Amino acid sequence: THTLQINDGRLIPIKIPTKELKFKIENIVENIFKRLYNYENADVSDLELQIDLLVNELYNLDKIDKKSF
């Protein structure tokens, strides 16, 4: 069993996106909600991929890092 200590949270790398990147991600999430509102089983994988790519860019992940997910 592992317990999480308050200082463990400081080890998590949290990146703050630029306003532009934040706006892009918010718009994509909005589009996901719209699709799912109109059709509960809508395919949103293309939009999820866009978010994944933006987050990878934010964290400066290269192709090798992406494979480890």
Side-chain angles (χ1 to χ4, degrees):
T1 304
H2 180 75
T3 57
L4 182 66
Q5 301 295 320
I6 191 71
N7 288 332
D8 294 341
R10 294 187 179 130
L11 301 174
I12 300 171
I14 304 294
K15 298 274 189 165
I16 307 299
T18 63
K19 287 182 182 182
E20 179 183 346
L21 182 59
K22 181 178 178 271
F23 180 75
K24 285 180 183 179
I25 293 173
E26 287 173 345
N27 281 335
I28 296 169
V29 170
E30 243 179 74
N31 287 330
I32 290 173
F33 285 142
K34 286 178 186 176
R35 279 193 197 175
L36 293 173
Y37 179 78
N38 290 326
Y39 180 63
E40 185 178 314
N41 295 319
D43 180 14
V44 294
S45 59
D46 59 319
L47 297 172
E48 292 173 333
L49 178 61
Q50 288 179 36
I51 291 174
D52 289 345
L53 293 173
L54 290 171
V55 171
N56 285 343
E57 181 182 317
L58 175 65
Y59 280 87
N60 297 317
L61 298 178
D62 60 21
K63 291 180 182 178
I64 295 170
D65 293 329
K66 291 176 193 174
K67 288 181 183 176
S68 66
F69 283 100

